Amino acid sequence: PKRSFPSVPLVKLGTSFTKVKEFLWRFASIPNVLELDHLTVSGDVTFGKGVTLKGTVIIIANHGERIDIPPGAILENKIVSGNLRILDH
């Protein structure tokens, strides 16, 4: 009842997410998808703890590259492609 959309989000995950062990390794915690309409993820992508996804989010890691969505990130109507790593120092 809290969703602003009448249906569940459409989620398309690439081949890196097909096995349960790989799927679980890629998510530090399940993202908040209460306001998500559509998610597409392809390639080597990981999600930090406490990530929020809203609207339409498309994340595509180039072949041989990796995208790490940092903990606490809020992605709303975004396309992320290429590679992205944010490291603590």
Side-chain angles (χ1 to χ4, degrees):
K2 294 181 181 179
R3 280 185 54 78
S4 57
F5 302 101
S7 62
V8 297
L10 174 62
V11 177
K12 297 179 184 178
L13 301 175
T15 57
S16 296
F17 293 82
T18 55
K19 295 186 178 179
V20 173
K21 183 177 179 180
E22 292 173 358
F23 178 90
L24 295 174
W25 177 80
R26 295 185 178 282
F27 291 97
S29 67
I30 300 301
N32 177 341
V33 296
L34 187 62
E35 298 178 48
L36 181 68
D37 182 38
H38 175 240
L39 172 66
T40 297
V41 181
S42 179
D44 189 1
V45 179
T46 62
F47 293 82
K49 190 173 186 175
V51 171
T52 299
L53 305 172
K54 300 179 179 184
T56 297
V57 178
I58 300 169
I59 306 169
I60 301 174
N62 293 338
H63 181 72
E65 302 288 340
R66 181 170 159 179
I67 296 176
D68 294 323
I69 305 300
I74 299 172
L75 299 177
E76 182 172 2
N77 296 319
K78 298 289 182 198
I79 297 174
V80 180
S81 66
N83 64 15
L84 171 68
R85 281 193 163 167
I86 298 175
L87 305 173
D88 292 329
H89 64 279

